[in-house]
Amino acid sequence: MRGFLLLFLVLFSLAIFAQEPTIQTEKDTTSTKAEEKSNPFNTGFYPVGFFDIDLRYIIKFNNYEGLRLGVGGVTNDRFSDRFKIGGYFARGFKDRDIKFSAGGSIRLDKKYKTWFNLYYKDDIQEIGKFDFLTDSRVYSVFEPRLVNVTQFYKERTWQANVQAEFYEKILAEVRVSRSRIEQIESYQFFNDGVFYNNYELAEVTASFRISPKTNFITTDDGRVEYFDGFPKISAQITQGIKGITKSDFTYTKFGLKLDYYIKRTDLSSTNFLLEGDYAIGDVPLTHLYHAYPNSPTKDEILQRFSVAGRRSFETMYFGEFFSDQLVTLQVRHSLRRFYIAERFKPELVIVTRHALGDFKNPENHFGLPFNTLDQVYNESGFELNKLIFGFGLSAAYRYGFYNLPDFEDNVSIKFTFYAKF
C-alpha cells in the first residue's frame, strides 16, 4: 500500500518525541492504590465469598441481541491461590439465544504471575474487530460503542493460553485456539475455488504490552491502571494454520499500537492513539479490520443520536469500510475543566481522527458490500463531557476525500459517558 509504512513511521516518531508528562508523587500513587483496591467498579469484580462476580457480564445491549443479561466471574483466593474456575452465562432477549463460557486456570509461577488457562466459549463476535490480548486485562466498566454494533458472527472456540508478567511493566500472553465460525450475516468467502459460509480456524497468537511509566495495581483476576505516562506499546502476531483440526485457512496478522498520554501542569492533557494492522494470506472478512465505526446506518441525524465510543470513528457507518492493511491516528486534547460550581465542572475535549487502509482482493468477499480506505479518512470534532452524572455531548464532522454529498450525512451528534466511581 502506497505510503503505508512511511505514514506509520512518521506518526510513530511524532508521538514518541512529544512533550513528557508530569510525574505523580509517591504519596499520591499510594493513596490511589488503596482507593482503587476498595472499589469494585474500578477492579471490575465484586467479591461474594470465594467468588468474584465479573461486572462486565451483568447487562449489555446491542442491535442483534437487544438487551443482554448475564452473570459471570471467577473464584478468588478464598477458594484457592493456585487454581481458578470461571466463566459466564448470558441470554439476549432479541435473538433469544444462550451464550456461555467455562473453564479454569492454574498458576505456574508466583513470581512472574504466570497462569495457564483453558476455556471454551460459545458466543457472538463483531465482524472486523481486532483486539490485543493484553488489552483485555484492563477493565472498563462501560463500553459505550457496543450499544450501536450491528454486524456479528457466531463463534465456538476452545482456547488455551499462558499469561505472564515478566517484569512489573511488561505483560505477555500466548494463546492457541480452535474456532468454529458460523455466519449471522449473508457473508461468503471465496477461496481456492470454494465458497465458504461457515469455516474452521486454528490460530496461534503471541501478544505483549510494555508500559514503562504506568503505575497500576494488579489483582489475581484483572488489572487496573490509574496513571498514564510514557508510551504504552502493544504488539501482536497471529498465525492461522490450515489443516490442523480441519482448519480451512492459512494467514498471518500483525498489530502494533502506541498509546501516549501527556499531562501538563496547567491540567490540560493530550492523548495520542496510533495503531497499525496488517494481514496476509487467506483471511475471511470476519477476521480482518475495520476502523471502529460508530455511526448507525440511518438517514436522519437525530435517528443516529446514540452514545459515543472511546476510540471509535463517530461519523463512519457500520460496515462501510474494511481493510487488510490499516493505520489509524486519534488525538484527543483535553482543556482544563471549567469551574462553574463545586459539582459542575465540565470538560472540553478537541478530537481529531484519521485512517488509511487498503484491501488486496475485495472481490473474494460476497454478501456484505463495503468500501476500502485507500484514501485518508478524516473527521474532527469536540466533546463537552461531565455535564451531569457523567453524561455529556459530542459532535464530529467528516471531511476530505470521503465527505458525503449531503451535509447532514457527515455530521455525528451523540452523548458521552465518563463516570468515576
Side-chain angles (χ1 to χ4, degrees):
M1 182 178 61
R2 294 177 301 173
F4 178 89
L5 292 177
L6 179 61
L7 177 61
F8 187 82
L9 290 174
V10 169
L11 295 177
F12 189 94
S13 300
L14 288 174
I16 284 288
F17 292 106
Q19 178 182 349
E20 296 183 0
T22 58
I23 304 300
Q24 205 173 23
T25 66
E26 181 178 354
K27 180 179 179 180
D28 292 337
T29 59
T30 302
S31 61
T32 305
K33 286 182 180 180
E35 292 174 0
E36 299 285 4
K37 286 182 179 180
S38 64
N39 195 331
F41 287 100
N42 288 324
T43 64
F45 294 91
Y46 186 85
V48 179
F50 64 85
F51 192 79
D52 290 347
I53 297 175
D54 193 330
L55 302 181
R56 292 175 298 177
Y57 298 115
I58 294 177
I59 183 170
K60 293 183 180 181
F61 183 89
N62 60 66
N63 285 289
Y64 175 71
E65 297 175 291
L67 179 66
R68 169 172 165 153
L69 299 180
V71 62
V74 65
T75 57
N76 56 38
D77 287 348
R78 292 188 179 183
F79 177 81
S80 172
D81 61 355
R82 295 186 60 192
F83 302 95
K84 294 188 291 186
I85 300 173
Y88 66 85
F89 178 89
R91 182 182 186 273
F93 281 76
K94 184 177 179 181
D95 66 337
R96 300 182 180 180
D97 198 7
I98 301 297
K99 294 88 178 176
F100 70 94
S101 175
S105 309
I106 181 172
R107 191 177 66 193
L108 303 180
D109 186 273
K110 186 175 183 180
K111 178 180 179 181
Y112 295 108
K113 300 175 183 176
T114 304
W115 289 84
F116 172 78
N117 310 288
L118 179 63
Y119 273 81
Y120 175 77
K121 178 174 63 173
D122 185 341
D123 209 333
I124 62 171
Q125 298 292 334
E126 180 187 356
I127 294 177
K129 182 181 180 182
F130 176 74
D131 288 328
F132 289 83
L133 300 184
T134 49
D135 285 355
S136 65
R137 298 169 68 183
V138 181
Y139 171 72
S140 175
V141 67
F142 181 57
E143 301 173 81
R145 181 182 170 274
L146 295 181
V147 174
N148 298 323
V149 176
T150 59
Q151 296 179 327
F152 296 92
Y153 62 92
K154 294 183 179 180
E155 176 188 52
R156 295 180 174 90
T157 299
W158 281 99
Q159 62 184 41
N161 64 299
V162 176
Q163 296 174 322
E165 186 179 318
F166 296 110
Y167 176 67
E168 188 182 38
K169 310 295 184 180
I170 301 177
L171 302 176
E173 182 171 340
V174 177
R175 175 182 295 178
V176 178
S177 65
R178 196 271 188 188
S179 302
R180 169 69 176 174
I181 306 300
E182 298 179 0
Q183 303 303 323
I184 294 174
E185 305 290 334
S186 58
Y187 168 71
Q188 288 185 316
F189 179 40
F190 182 72
N191 185 66
D192 290 337
V194 178
F195 283 93
Y196 291 88
N197 182 29
N198 302 325
Y199 36 85
E200 317 282 342
L201 300 178
E203 295 182 333
V204 179
T205 302
S207 182
F208 74 89
R209 180 179 181 183
I210 302 175
S211 309
K213 292 295 181 179
T214 300
N215 295 318
F216 49 71
I217 64 170
T218 305
T219 68
D220 289 337
D221 306 316
R223 176 171 302 280
V224 175
E225 300 185 10
Y226 64 88
F227 175 68
D228 292 320
F230 280 94
K232 291 179 289 188
I233 302 171
S234 301
Q236 183 164 297
I237 180 171
T238 297
Q239 181 63 51
I241 306 173
K242 183 177 181 178
I244 295 182
T245 63
K246 300 181 180 180
S247 58
D248 293 307
F249 310 123
T250 296
Y251 53 84
T252 306
K253 296 169 60 178
F254 304 92
L256 180 63
K257 181 172 67 173
L258 169 71
D259 192 351
Y260 189 79
Y261 182 75
I262 303 168
K263 186 176 180 180
R264 302 180 180 85
T265 55
D266 64 357
L267 301 183
S268 68
S269 63
T270 306
N271 178 237
F272 297 90
L273 182 61
L274 175 66
E275 182 174 340
D277 304 311
Y278 185 82
I280 55 176
D282 304 323
V283 194
L285 193 69
T286 52
H287 288 65
L288 286 175
Y289 312 113
H290 59 43
Y292 284 84
N294 194 32
S295 185
T297 53
K298 298 179 180 180
D299 295 331
E300 305 294 333
I301 293 179
L302 292 181
Q303 291 177 333
R304 298 194 298 270
F305 184 81
S306 58
V307 57
R310 297 283 198 268
R311 53 170 291 191
S312 51
F313 282 72
E314 301 303 326
T315 62
M316 187 183 293
Y317 294 92
F318 283 101
E320 186 177 7
F321 299 99
F322 288 99
S323 305
D324 57 17
Q325 301 174 55
L326 179 66
V327 60
T328 61
L329 172 67
Q330 302 187 38
V331 182
R332 297 172 53 88
H333 180 70
S334 303
L335 302 179
R336 180 175 180 171
R337 295 180 66 177
F338 303 103
Y339 185 90
I340 298 176
E342 183 61 33
R343 294 184 177 274
F344 185 54
K345 293 181 284 186
E347 175 189 50
L348 179 63
V349 182
I350 309 300
V351 184
T352 185
R353 304 180 183 94
H354 310 277
L356 176 64
D358 200 0
F359 208 123
K360 289 185 178 179
N361 298 298
E363 67 276 4
N364 291 338
H365 305 270
F366 295 85
L368 290 178
F370 61 90
N371 299 319
T372 59
L373 282 167
D374 52 352
Q375 302 292 330
V376 179
Y377 185 99
N378 303 287
E379 75 171 30
S380 297
F382 67 90
E383 296 177 0
L384 190 58
N385 297 322
K386 302 171 184 176
L387 295 176
I388 181 171
F389 302 125
F391 290 93
L393 291 172
S394 78
Y397 181 73
R398 167 175 174 162
Y399 59 94
F401 183 85
Y402 293 108
N403 181 264
L404 299 173
D406 293 336
F407 173 81
E408 65 177 19
D409 292 339
N410 299 292
V411 177
S412 168
I413 299 176
K414 298 184 176 75
F415 72 85
T416 64
F417 182 73
Y418 292 90
K420 182 177 181 181
F421 296 95

